[in-house]
Amino acid sequence: MTLYYADKTIVLGVCGSVAAYRACDLASQLTQRNATVITAMTASAQCLVCPASFEAVTGQPVITEMFGPRVVPGIEHIALAQRAALFLIAPATANILAKAAHGIADDWLSTTLLATDAPVLFAPAMNPAMWRHPATQDNVTLLRNRGALFVGPASGTVACGDTGVGRLADRDAILDALAIALHADKDFAGKRVLITSGPNHEPIDPVRFIGNRSSGKMGRALALEALRRGAEVCVVSGPAETTPPAGAEVVAASTAAAMYEAVMARVDKYDIIIAAAAVADFRLEQESGEKIKRGNDAVTMTLTPNPDIIAAAAAKKRPGCKVVGFAAESHEVVNNAAEKLRRKQLDMIVANTIGGENSAIGGDAGEAWILTPNEPAESLGHIDKAALAARIFDRIHKLP
Ligand code: CTP
């Protein structure tokens, strides 16, 4: 998903925590997504990881000192403070949090943090006792109150063997937090968005189920886009291979019946409801409590229809709520989607082709159209799921 990071200059501040080696992967991931990553390493970070590693993965010079032979025009601290779209401090030590909170400027990174108006995202990593310490917690509060952003720390075992909150957040959580921080226009602030996502598993017996190929990627892209635009997000998620972004509330719902219950319990609290889940249309009339043994006879199962979740949500929605569905079609894509838009009483439907080379199910992109009740279908061509999510929210904005 290059969309979030492409053509952005990100200053990656690397401090002296053992997790510094993980910043290399972050730098590489961002560079692969077409961001320009300028790494600034503190003196202690350089004792743990070699600057050449960052130079190699970013293709950019690495800042290691305030004055000296490595200083390159254009990455001088004031110039970069003004040019950067964002400062990501990962790993952020207790020391850099203390310096940033109190305006101490005694090296390149702390000096440049004082000189920038760009958003600053801290990803702390330290011993759990250091993180818990009131001095650190007070510094975090000070920084948050000034608008600084934080991702993590996560809980687990840290380098010294202690267990608790202090681990550098996972790479994907940091990338999500960055994607959210890099989107300045919070045009859905104050809005609550409910998204169904992923497949359902309808049990046959204690070990088998009926499922489908939905990956949950579309639901994830929608949730991340909603968070980027300032909304509060809840994802009712089936057992998908993709996890929803950090920052979204997640309600796990394995079966269609559980998904129905979860959505209907919340329907009157949301401004926008989007059904990206590939809901199982049928469940077994009678699930077997015991494992069905293999024999030589054919096994017959009776399937019974599941409730239509989005149609039920559209019928119960609160006034002003916008309900958006998806239509996964293998033929007559636009006509079938238009029929679903009417039948389910939706405000918008996104038609996708399934099957063949451009199938939307499971992939990162697909062929898509947006349909609303009173306008001709808009063809979006073959489109990446992140870009599609952005187009969907643009259109939701324009709904009457
Ligand atoms: N949907 C739902 N509950 C169901 C079935 C579908 O909420 N029981 C939602 C899907 O999340 C999607 C939309 O309805 O937003 C259309 O889903 P799709 O599977 O394309 O259509 P179906 O109604 O299942 O019709 P068919 O399988 O006949 O195409």
Side-chain angles (χ1 to χ4, degrees), residues 140-369:
V140 170
T141 304
L142 257 177
L143 289 165
R144 275 193 205 279
N145 289 344
R146 278 187 218 138
L149 304 164
F150 282 81
V151 53
S155 68
T157 305
V158 294
C160 59
D162 285 358
T163 300
V165 177
R167 277 178 64 81
L168 183 68
D170 285 347
R171 183 187 79 186
D172 288 350
I174 296 176
L175 290 174
D176 286 348
L178 254 175
I180 294 167
L182 283 166
H183 199 274
D185 189 3
K186 304 295 181 195
D187 53 348
F188 280 79
K191 298 284 183 204
R192 308 191 73 199
V193 180
L194 182 66
I195 297 167
T196 68
S197 180
N200 292 128
H201 286 180
E202 298 296 334
I204 296 172
D205 66 14
V207 290
R208 304 179 179 96
F209 60 83
I210 300 173
N212 61 58
R213 296 184 206 283
S214 170
S215 60
K217 287 178 183 169
M218 191 67 235
R220 182 181 215 287
L222 286 161
L224 187 52
E225 185 63 20
L227 290 168
R228 273 160 57 78
R229 295 165 83 143
E232 199 181 307
V233 181
C234 174
V235 183
V236 178
S237 178
E241 66 188 48
T242 318
T243 50
E249 180 195 348
V250 181
V251 178
S254 183
T255 62
M259 207 171 247
Y260 176 85
E261 293 300 326
V263 169
M264 297 316 281
R266 292 168 174 78
V267 67
D268 57 344
K269 296 180 189 70
Y270 284 82
D271 305 293
I272 297 158
I273 303 175
I274 310 180
V279 180
D281 287 327
F282 303 97
R283 66 178 180 279
L284 256 73
E285 199 172 74
Q286 189 65 57
E287 174 191 343
S288 171
E290 293 174 358
K291 186 183 172 200
I292 300 170
K293 300 302 284 178
R294 181 169 59 86
N296 292 328
D297 297 334
V299 176
T300 305
M301 294 176 202
T302 306
L303 301 178
T304 191
N306 276 321
D308 190 319
I309 301 170
I310 200 64
K316 283 267 168 61
K317 71 176 188 179
R318 73 178 195 200
C321 169
K322 306 297 177 209
V323 182
V324 179
F326 277 74
E329 307 292 342
S330 58
H331 60 282
E332 290 282 333
V333 179
V334 172
N335 286 344
N336 284 335
E339 187 275 324
K340 278 179 196 167
L341 177 72
R342 275 192 301 277
R343 174 162 46 90
K344 298 181 189 235
Q345 295 283 296
L346 307 176
D347 298 288
M348 185 194 291
I349 198 157
V350 182
N352 277 141
T353 43
I354 53 164
E357 268 178 27
N358 289 341
S359 184
I361 298 256
D364 290 326
E367 213 177 347
W369 292 258

Side-chain angles (χ1 to χ4, degrees), residues 347-393:
D347 298 288
M348 185 194 291
I349 198 157
V350 182
N352 277 141
T353 43
I354 53 164
E357 268 178 27
N358 289 341
S359 184
I361 298 256
D364 290 326
E367 213 177 347
W369 292 258
I370 291 183
L371 288 82
T372 55
N374 301 317
E375 280 157 304
E378 181 189 2
S379 167
L380 304 180
H382 188 76
I383 185 167
D384 174 72
K385 286 182 176 173
L388 176 57
R391 296 291 287 271
I392 292 168
F393 279 96

